[in-house]
Amino acid sequence: EITPFRGAMSELVDAILATSRKPQPTLAVAAALSGMAAAVPKCYRYRDGSRFGLYHLIMSPTGSGKEHIEKAAAEIAIEAGAHMISGSLSSGQGIEDEMLAGNDKPNLMIVSEAGHFMQSLNGDGRNQQSHLTHLMHLILQAYSASSTRLRTRALAGKPSKDIPNPVLHVFGASTPEKLSEVLRPENLSEGFLNRMLVVMGKANVGMIRGVDQFKVPEHIRAAQFDFMRMPSDDVVVTIDQSAWKDEDRIMRRYDAPAEDEGMRQLMARSYEKVMRIAGTLAVWDMTKDKLTPTVTVDHLRWAENYVDAANQTMYRFMNEFLFDERVHKDAKKILDSID
């Protein structure tokens, strides 16, 4: 079980759990983090221009409370002014159009049936439709393009356009069984699973009656959202000097030479995910008296623990549902290094 970061995240998690008929603490942390990340305006960036888009993949059995978790993540983002993208869109062009319509806001795409979504994306490799191929390409590209720009697809009578510094957040949910049917080893090698923060919910969670509707606590809305929206120019998120050694350690740890391609693929995006989470926490730690977000040791270490937990969850899923024995052994080596 993941302990929420102090402050606003802890309060959001408490509010999510208090309004859930089937409380899922670990999923509540994922919902809070995803909503908090989507609440961060595009003007906040690191020195290299990168922003803080996060891709979450929630796995939990049918009837275990996933819908409440999705709604909570969306509510946090909406209250902060993020642009919502429907997870039912079936083409990359549709997502591009939505991102253009978002008027320079961060975008959150909720994918309630991530298993069916992935089934459409993967399809039959021999007969993959071009619009689905482009959709997968767009999701991969949007994750990496926040420091530059995303060029939309040119269509007949419709010239391509630039989306400067695109920020896309994805929050997908499905059952482990459905994902095991539709995910392929290629989803790791092409970079899709590497980008995901994978979080597993519990089965057989007891139901609670008489719960209220989830709402973002009023004091968080008043204290956080207003001044987070204030800047009109880019704001550079800095790394506190006391955190430099920790950042270097994390970078070296995830960039350690791999014995084979499988290990390298699994760990390739971990440092990047740590920094995106840490940047999100730093922005949320701002106060009206301190409007320059600074990543601290606390931010880095919480983010590192979260990414490690997500990697371990991915390994357990792979071990139980997905890949062959050789890849299981490769992943186990990685987890041993984490421990």
Side-chain angles (χ1 to χ4, degrees), residues 4-304:
F5 192 73
R6 56 168 169 75
M9 181 187 290
S10 182
E11 295 182 58
L12 287 168
V13 168
D14 287 345
I16 294 169
L17 294 176
T19 54
S20 176
R21 291 193 181 277
K22 293 191 173 183
Q24 292 266 15
T26 299
L27 300 191
V29 173
L33 175 57
S34 184
M36 289 169 65
V40 175
K42 287 174 61 174
C43 60
Y44 293 98
R45 63 175 179 83
Y46 282 123
R47 289 176 57 189
D48 64 358
S50 58
R51 272 71 174 175
F52 311 129
L54 297 178
Y55 289 8
H56 270 93
L57 180 59
I58 303 303
M59 294 188 286
S60 198
T62 299
S64 61
K66 294 190 297 295
E67 183 177 357
H68 178 69
I69 295 299
E70 296 167 16
K71 289 180 178 178
E75 183 67 16
I76 297 167
I78 291 169
E79 285 288 340
H83 179 65
M84 301 302 296
I85 297 179
S86 171
S88 63
L89 290 172
S90 59
S91 70
Q93 180 192 350
I95 295 178
E96 289 173 347
D97 290 344
E98 282 292 325
M99 292 177 73
L100 286 167
N103 194 25
D104 216 33
K105 296 178 179 179
N107 302 275
L108 175 60
M109 183 168 72
I110 301 286
V111 186
S112 298
E113 299 293 340
H116 296 291
F117 184 78
M118 283 304 305
Q119 187 171 28
S120 297
L121 287 180
N122 282 336
D124 182 341
R126 295 167 300 177
N127 300 298
Q128 182 68 289
Q129 299 180 53
S130 62
H131 69 282
L132 294 176
T133 301
H134 176 58
L135 177 56
M136 174 63 88
H137 175 73
L138 176 67
I139 291 172
L140 297 177
Q141 189 179 19
Y143 186 90
S144 305
S146 68
S147 62
T148 55
R149 61 190 66 245
L150 184 68
R151 188 76 172 167
T152 66
R153 190 180 187 186
L155 299 172
K158 185 177 180 181
S160 62
K161 297 181 179 179
D162 281 340
I163 303 175
N165 306 117
V167 179
L168 177 65
H169 304 266
V170 177
F171 194 83
S174 186
T175 65
E177 293 79 10
K178 180 61 181 178
L179 286 172
S180 71
E181 294 174 4
V182 300
L183 288 178
R184 305 182 313 202
E186 290 80 4
N187 297 136
L188 177 62
S189 61
E190 71 195 358
F192 179 80
L193 289 179
N194 295 352
R195 287 165 167 78
M196 290 290 168
L197 293 159
V198 182
V199 182
M200 184 78 76
K202 296 179 179 179
N204 303 317
V205 178
M207 184 176 287
I208 299 174
R209 68 176 183 83
V211 297
D212 294 326
Q213 180 182 0
F214 170 76
K215 294 182 179 179
V216 177
E218 179 59 35
H219 70 277
I220 289 181
R221 292 164 57 186
Q224 300 288 148
F225 292 164
D226 287 347
F227 67 82
M228 281 170 57
R229 294 194 193 105
M230 282 169 40
S232 56
D233 298 322
D234 281 4
V235 177
V236 176
V237 177
T238 61
I239 313 295
D240 189 79
Q241 188 171 351
S242 65
W244 289 356
K245 288 184 178 179
D246 263 62
E247 184 190 1
D248 288 342
R249 175 187 58 79
I250 293 168
M251 186 187 305
R252 289 194 303 271
R253 181 179 155 226
Y254 289 133
D255 196 40
E259 294 182 14
D260 56 39
E261 185 65 11
M263 290 180 69
R264 189 194 69 79
Q265 290 170 0
L266 275 172
M267 303 299 282
R269 297 277 179 177
S270 292
Y271 166 73
E272 185 177 9
K273 289 185 282 191
V274 166
M275 296 309 296
R276 291 181 181 212
I277 294 170
T280 296
L281 298 177
V283 172
W284 274 78
D285 258 1
M286 291 191 309
T287 66
K288 290 182 179 179
D289 298 322
K290 184 179 181 299
L291 291 176
T292 302
T294 303
V295 172
T296 67
V297 170
D298 286 348
H299 298 142
L300 284 175
R301 291 183 180 175
W302 190 90
E304 180 185 14

